[in-house]
Amino acid sequence: MPIVAGIDIGNATTEVALARVDKGSVEFLASSIAYTTGIKGTLQNITGVRRALSLALEKAGWSREDFKKVDLVCLNKAAPVIGDVAMETITETIITESTMIGHNPSTPGGVGVGVGETISIFDLDKVERDHPVVVVIPGSVSFEEAAKMINDAFSKGIDVRGAICQSDDGVLIANRLNKVIPIVDEVKAIDRVPLGMQCCVEVAPPGRSVELLSNPYDIATIFGLSADETRQIVPVAKALIGNRSAVVIRTPLGEVKERRIPAGELYIVGPTGRRSINIDEGAKAIMEMVESSWPIQDIFGQPGTNVGGMMERVRKTMSELTSLPLGEIHIKDLLAVDTMVPQRVVGGLAEEFAMENGVALAVMVEAQELPMQRLASAIESEIGVKAEIGGVEAEMAIMGALTTPGTSTPLAVLDLGAGSTDASLMRPNGQVELIHLAGAGNMVNTIIASELGLDDMELVENIKMHPLCKVESVFHVRLEDGTVRFFDKPLAPELFGRVALIISEDFLSPILLDASIEKIRDVRRKAKREVFVTNATRALKRVAPAQNIRLIDFVVLVGGSALDFEIPNMITEELSKYSVVAGRGNIRGTLGPRNAVATGLVLSTVGRKIL
């Protein structure tokens, strides 16, 4: 009996189903998965294919390199697809002339509001009695020296209202003072704090955020601003919302302005011709134009802008990988999501960031199917086994999904991957409709990273994939749903008081991020809903008869993102509005949502001559 290896090369992973196939039956021997090497459908995939097939052979009881045990390699037939994600900022806050210091040091000192003239700590003895001042303390002054100098000033009747220090000494200084004053520390650019200027320092009590300096009218009251000056100070107040401590300094030459950034225009080519829309109109307007321009022939970006560069970079990458001319590569879909983008505040002194409106964009390119045949020939030469292109990927996914117990036609499959969300529908007569849409797991990661201000993409992936908890003692944690879990053994000391990820039953990983458990959870869930729930309904409407989702009986979720602990439930809940039976697939009754296409490729060879 011949041995067939169905190999599904995806955007992120390569999956193998290894089986012994007879004329009318199939015996599955093993399944495996490995990371895809290179862009799907290109010659770089060979390394990943070889690795995945070796793992399957080993699981079947053979040598990892014993490729000659396999009689046929059957690859999925699909156009190469490449997705890319970019963040386009709509506005940006520009603050110049050292107008503000606003950040969240982990340990600000004291509490309250202090208004006075900025003065170097070395000049305290020159200050007149009852003249309110805010002391500026460079890192060269130790916390003991600083506390002693301020206490001496108190004893002389000098009115010290607050302090700004360079080192992480806020609490240490506050604990040694004879009076309670607000102290903002960790101000790296202390040398750029202007002296002799009117200043307000605010430190909120634990668990609270600044109130005066996040309100433009309170700032106007403190500094005696006119209506026009109050309008200019709005970006400062907005940047300080949510901070536990803040400083605002009024300088004579200070300038605050909010300017528009030319994010660029999108040009969408559809049946009615080319239409344009500016990125700064937001995601809703962009998606309305995408829907009204369907089916999309191509999408371009305005030359010389960020979005234009993104579009051309995607085309160029695909052209280089497939050896196809740029003219044969077309962007077929786009997903836009409104989000918040952290922007560095120009003129800030403590690495301040302000959250500004932005649009996350995911695009998808489809090219000709020619490279897949080149890949099959290369695999045949590499491992010495006959390789051929099997059925269309959408049909293979449905054949694999139908091995899920309790399913029947008309059945739709939602393949939730890393780069794209794909949908296919098999009607009772066997006819198959399919669609590929931009936006999937990678876009969720991009949104989470942006809104939480993270650069560590491994941490971002973990935040996406695992639930949260708050470590409240060395023996118990409070889960994100409010329930409490106790441990028999004490938790690691570094976890105490932190938000952590529940990686496994017995392993917690702390998140070194100054954000509440509610903030992280809300960002994660919003990103998943905006991408996956949106794309699930978009995709099913495209393949459903008369674009009516209610005419679909069953929807099976497959792919890597279907393993997520909350995405399938979100989609199931949404599709229940249409009376559709939807849920995570269980391929062959044992594999969960993995291996649908690879299994379908094997099943497609049943009943035909292989050798």
Side-chain angles (χ1 to χ4, degrees):
M1 296 172 64
I3 304 296
V4 175
I7 301 182
D8 171 27
I9 302 171
N11 290 312
T13 58
T14 297
E15 299 179 354
V16 173
L18 193 64
R20 185 175 283 113
V21 178
D22 200 358
K23 291 183 179 180
S25 64
V26 55
E27 177 191 357
F28 285 97
L29 305 175
S31 302
S32 66
I33 184 172
Y35 286 111
T36 297
T37 50
I39 300 297
K40 172 181 177 178
T42 62
L43 296 180
Q44 290 94 329
N45 297 159
I46 294 176
T47 302
V49 168
R50 188 184 184 101
R51 185 179 299 129
L53 186 55
S54 295
L55 290 172
L57 288 168
E58 185 178 46
K59 288 182 178 180
W62 294 310
S63 167
R64 290 177 65 112
E65 299 298 317
D66 198 2
F67 297 118
K68 294 197 179 298
K69 292 288 185 183
V70 180
D71 297 294
L72 175 67
V73 167
C74 198
L75 300 174
N76 51 312
K77 181 180 182 181
V81 174
I82 178 174
D84 197 7
V85 181
M87 306 295 292
E88 301 300 335
T89 309
I90 296 176
T91 61
E92 183 181 31
T93 300
I94 304 295
I95 300 173
T96 60
E97 297 296 336
S98 305
T99 309
M100 60 164 282
I101 306 168
H103 66 140
N104 276 317
S106 56
T107 53
V111 70
V113 178
V115 180
E117 180 183 324
T118 53
I119 186 170
S120 169
I121 193 169
F122 301 114
D123 295 331
L124 266 178
D125 55 350
K126 302 176 184 177
V127 177
E128 298 179 1
R129 291 172 60 90
D130 300 324
H131 180 64
V133 294
V134 173
V135 179
V136 179
I137 309 169
S140 59
V141 180
S142 70
F143 61 88
E144 294 101 334
E145 293 173 324
K148 183 178 183 304
M149 295 169 76
I150 295 173
N151 280 329
D152 289 344
F154 286 150
S155 65
K156 296 176 183 177
I158 297 173
D159 189 8
V160 178
R161 298 284 184 87
I164 307 168
C165 58
Q166 187 172 28
S167 303
D168 183 15
D169 292 339
V171 172
L172 296 173
I173 295 173
N175 289 343
R176 289 164 172 78
L177 295 183
N178 299 330
K179 289 174 58 178
V180 177
I181 61 172
I183 304 174
V184 172
D185 58 4
E186 301 179 38
V187 178
K188 295 185 178 181
I190 197 75
D191 56 309
R192 287 167 47 201
V193 174
L195 301 178
M197 301 296 172
Q198 192 178 13
C199 169
C200 179
V201 182
E202 181 177 2
V203 174
R208 303 285 293 273
S209 59
V210 295
E211 296 181 4
L212 268 66
L213 294 183
S214 61
N215 180 2
Y217 297 116
D218 283 326
I219 296 176
T221 302
I222 292 168
F223 294 109
L225 303 181
S226 66
D228 287 340
E229 290 171 328
T230 302
R231 186 178 296 109
Q232 286 187 317
I233 208 71
V234 169
V236 172
K238 183 173 68 173
L240 298 177
I241 292 173
N243 287 0
R244 188 185 165 193
S245 66
V247 175
V248 171
I249 305 169
R250 187 183 185 192
T251 60
L253 301 177
E255 179 187 3
V256 182
K257 61 182 179 180
E258 189 171 29
R259 65 182 177 86
R260 308 294 286 185
I261 290 196
E265 289 188 341
L266 283 171
Y267 305 122
I268 304 175
V269 182
T272 59
R274 192 176 86 165
R275 306 172 69 185
S276 65
I277 187 168
N278 202 299
I279 292 294
D280 62 14
E281 292 190 37
K284 183 178 179 181
I286 294 171
M287 292 312 297
E288 286 176 354
M289 182 165 290
V290 168
E291 295 303 308
S292 63
S293 300
W294 198 266
I296 293 173
Q297 299 170 14
D298 209 346
I299 303 177
F300 298 91
Q302 182 181 358
T305 65
N306 290 337
V307 70
M310 170 194 173
M311 298 297 179
E312 292 312 306
R313 183 175 67 250
V314 173
R315 293 180 205 276
K316 184 178 180 182
T317 299
M318 179 60 88
S319 177
E320 292 173 349
L321 291 170
T322 62
S323 300
L324 292 171
L326 283 172
E328 296 183 21
I329 295 171
H330 307 286
I331 294 177
K332 294 293 189 178
D333 187 51
L334 177 146
L335 176 65
V337 175
D338 285 322
T339 185
M340 300 298 290
V341 184
Q343 293 290 319
R344 187 180 297 277
V345 176
V346 178
L349 305 185
E351 298 185 350
E352 296 92 343
F353 286 85
M355 298 302 291
E356 298 295 341
N357 294 326
V359 176
L361 297 174
V363 299
M364 190 202 65
V365 169
E366 287 185 54
Q368 293 181 351
E369 297 174 359
L370 174 65
M372 292 300 293
Q373 186 56 57
R374 290 170 47 205
L375 176 60
S377 300
I379 290 174
E380 190 167 313
S381 300
E382 174 79 12
I383 65 177
V385 177
K386 180 183 177 183
E388 66 178 29
I389 305 299
V392 175
E393 184 172 344
E395 296 178 358
M396 299 302 100
I398 290 175
M399 290 184 68
L402 281 170
T403 65
T404 295
T407 58
S408 180
T409 57
L411 176 136
V413 172
L414 278 175
D415 190 347
L416 312 177
S420 65
T421 300
D422 306 330
S424 50
L425 171 70
M426 177 176 282
R427 299 181 181 179
N429 62 3
Q431 181 183 351
V432 174
E433 303 287 341
L434 70 149
I435 192 72
H436 304 287
L437 298 180
N442 291 344
M443 190 179 192
V444 172
N445 286 4
T446 299
I447 295 172
I448 292 173
S450 174
E451 296 212 5
L452 295 180
L454 295 173
D455 295 323
D456 184 349
M457 296 312 293
E458 182 177 356
L459 173 59
V460 171
E461 179 69 17
N462 282 332
I463 288 175
K464 180 181 75 173
M465 294 297 295
H466 300 288
L468 300 161
C469 68
K470 180 68 178 290
V471 182
E472 296 186 341
S473 78
V474 293
F475 284 103
H476 86 280
V477 301
R478 188 171 299 276
L479 306 181
E480 62 178 67
D481 63 1
T483 58
V484 176
R485 179 188 170 193
F486 293 90
F487 294 84
D488 295 329
K489 297 180 180 178
L491 299 170
E494 60 268 21
L495 290 171
F496 180 70
R498 290 198 172 276
V499 177
L501 292 164
I502 307 173
I503 302 296
S504 65
E505 186 71 18
D506 299 314
F507 178 61
L508 305 181
S509 177
I511 300 177
L512 304 179
L513 185 67
D514 290 331
S516 68
I517 189 171
E518 292 81 12
K519 167 72 172 177
I520 299 172
R521 181 195 60 198
D522 290 348
V523 167
R524 181 196 73 213
R525 290 179 62 84
K526 174 180 174 290
K528 290 178 180 178
R529 286 188 183 279
E530 294 281 3
V531 175
F532 281 109
V533 175
T534 298
N535 262 355
T537 53
R538 286 178 71 212
L540 291 175
K541 284 179 181 178
R542 294 277 179 249
V543 299
Q547 296 193 348
N548 186 351
I549 297 178
R550 294 183 182 277
L551 297 179
I552 300 174
D553 291 341
F554 300 93
V555 174
V556 176
L557 309 180
V558 302
S561 293
L563 292 168
D564 186 272
F565 71 101
E566 53 191 354
I567 290 174
N569 290 340
M570 289 180 177
I571 295 176
T572 298
E573 181 182 12
E574 180 68 19
L575 294 182
S576 66
K577 301 174 184 177
Y578 301 93
S579 302
V580 174
V581 179
R584 181 191 289 117
N586 189 16
I587 309 306
R588 307 204 309 259
T590 59
L591 298 179
R594 288 289 195 186
N595 215 255
V597 174
T599 296
L601 287 166
V602 171
L603 294 175
S604 70
T605 65
V606 175
R608 67 182 179 89
K609 187 175 181 180
I610 296 173
L611 300 177

